[in-house]
């Protein structure tokens, strides 16, 4: 298997960098967060989106939903990962704050994590992958020699996310709200019992706060141990 594991907190730049890197070296960008998001949206559609996050969590646990029964499909289409519910690509719908606030109910659930991990490993059996997430280097692909952990301050990460949303038209959240949400998600992601956000001991740490995208990319390329 040829795998580059890219982990880090929300807004650290890993999705952007993973996309650029995958394109440059002809690997697939495997976005694990998108799979968690798709499972969350599919659960919301099944359980009703009007629930509070608390209700949603309880319902989810009581219903013991089987992720495989939610109708989600994560497939390779034109060399890219397509996240679908039924036949519909939900790549945009999975990025709303409503989905983000409920992801933890899925991400804390070990059978759900196992499903996501299985899908990612299936991709890696078919093609070279740049896998982006929280636990790629620690849990999903612990044997790959190419592990990177991207970091940046909460302020920098919130600003990036805010500018990304403005770039897409408008932001439904203020900069302060985004910063608060990111800090809360950091805390949840770092304290999760299984699959927590953590740098693998052998991962290379890159602080992206003062680096351009190309700067981050060239650092990673300098360390990768495959020949292309
Ligand atoms: O893009 P952003 O950084 O907002 O997050 P994402 O990569 O789409 O992941 C969303 C959430 O899914 C994270 O905050 C984690 O709670 C969860 N996740 C996870 O538990 N394990 C992963 N490998 C990837 C994401």
């Amino acid at each position: 298997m040829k795998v580059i594991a890219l982990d880090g907190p929300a807004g650290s730049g890993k999705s952007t960098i993973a996309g650029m890197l995958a394109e440059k070296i002809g690997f697939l960008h495997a976005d694990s967060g998108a799979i968690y998001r798709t499972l969350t949206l599919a659960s919301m559609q099944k359980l009703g989106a009007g629930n509070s996050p608390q209700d949603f969590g309880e319902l989810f646990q009581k219903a013991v939903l089987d992720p495989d029964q939610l109708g989600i499909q994560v497939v390779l289409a034109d060399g890219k990962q397509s996240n679908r519910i039924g036949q519909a690509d939900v790549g945009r719908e999975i990025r709303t704050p409503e989905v983000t606030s409920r992801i933890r109910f899925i991400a804390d659930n070990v059978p759900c994590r196992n499903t996501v991990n299985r899908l990612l490993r299936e991709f890696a059996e078919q093609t070279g992958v740049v896998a982006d997430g929280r636990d790629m280097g620690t849990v999903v692909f612990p044997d790959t020699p190419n592990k990177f952990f991207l970091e940046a301050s909460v302020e920098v990460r919130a600003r990036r996310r805010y500018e990304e949303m403005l770039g897409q038209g408008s932001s439904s959240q203020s900069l302060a709200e985004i910063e608060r949400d990111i800090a809360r998600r950091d805390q949840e992601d770092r304290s999760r019992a299984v699959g927590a956000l953590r740098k693998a001991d052998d991962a290379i740490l890159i602080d992206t706060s003062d680096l351009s995208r190309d700067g981050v990319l060239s650092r990673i390329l300098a360390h990768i141990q495959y020949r292309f």
Side-chain angles (χ1 to χ4, degrees):
M1 282 205 271
K2 284 191 168 176
V3 177
I4 296 162
L6 214 57
D7 290 307
S12 57
K14 52 183 188 344
S15 284
T16 307
I17 299 295
M20 288 167 72
L21 177 61
E23 196 167 319
K24 182 150 188 114
I25 63 178
F27 277 21
L28 167 75
H29 172 201
D31 182 348
S32 63
I35 310 180
Y36 284 102
R37 288 175 178 279
T38 305
L39 280 166
T40 306
L41 179 62
S43 303
M44 287 165 68
Q45 289 178 351
K46 203 138 202 155
L47 299 171
N51 300 301
S52 71
Q54 289 75 13
D55 290 344
F56 179 77
E58 273 173 32
L59 273 173
F60 182 79
Q61 256 138 49
K62 273 192 209 136
V64 198
L65 288 179
D66 176 353
D68 293 326
Q69 304 279 305
L70 287 171
I72 83 149
Q73 292 189 62
V74 183
V75 294
L76 284 185
D78 299 331
K80 293 210 183 299
Q81 175 180 323
S82 170
N83 309 289
R84 300 182 182 166
I85 299 178
Q87 295 306 311
D89 185 296
V90 291
R92 286 181 71 84
E93 293 87 333
I94 58 176
R95 310 252 163 228
T96 63
E98 290 72 29
V99 172
T100 304
S101 66
R102 291 169 170 85
I103 293 174
R104 66 192 149 114
F105 302 123
I106 301 294
D108 285 347
N109 183 294
V110 175
C112 285
R113 297 202 74 85
N114 291 338
T115 299
V116 175
N117 298 349
R118 193 187 70 225
L119 287 167
L120 293 164
R121 291 183 189 123
E122 279 171 15
F123 280 153
E125 274 160 20
Q126 295 170 48
T127 179
V129 298
V130 179
D132 113 51
R134 304 290 187 284
D135 56 347
M136 300 302 100
T138 50
V139 174
V140 187
F141 300 112
D143 295 334
T144 180
N146 304 289
K147 297 179 188 162
F148 300 89
F149 193 88
L150 305 189
E151 256 293 9
S153 69
V154 178
E155 294 77 20
V156 168
R157 292 188 281 125
R159 179 153 290 282
R160 279 184 190 152
R161 201 36 68 88
Y162 184 58
E163 281 166 6
E164 188 182 314
M165 289 168 101
L166 290 184
Q168 288 165 3
S170 66
S171 175
S172 59
Q173 292 180 295
S174 69
L175 179 61
E177 280 169 335
I178 293 177
E179 190 171 323
R180 206 185 46 227
D181 279 4
I182 285 185
R184 184 183 41 88
R185 204 137 57 90
D186 279 359
Q187 160 65 21
E188 287 165 9
D189 287 350
R190 291 202 162 99
S191 56
R192 175 162 295 128
V194 176
L197 170 65
R198 186 172 71 73
K199 178 186 160 308
D201 293 340
D202 56 343
I204 292 168
L205 177 70
I206 302 177
D207 187 330
T208 69
S209 302
D210 298 317
L211 288 175
S212 66
R213 292 168 184 191
D214 286 335
V216 178
L217 191 60
S218 55
R219 282 191 191 209
I220 292 177
L221 284 168
H223 281 103
I224 290 181
Q225 306 193 8
Y226 298 133
R227 293 284 157 261
F228 302 101

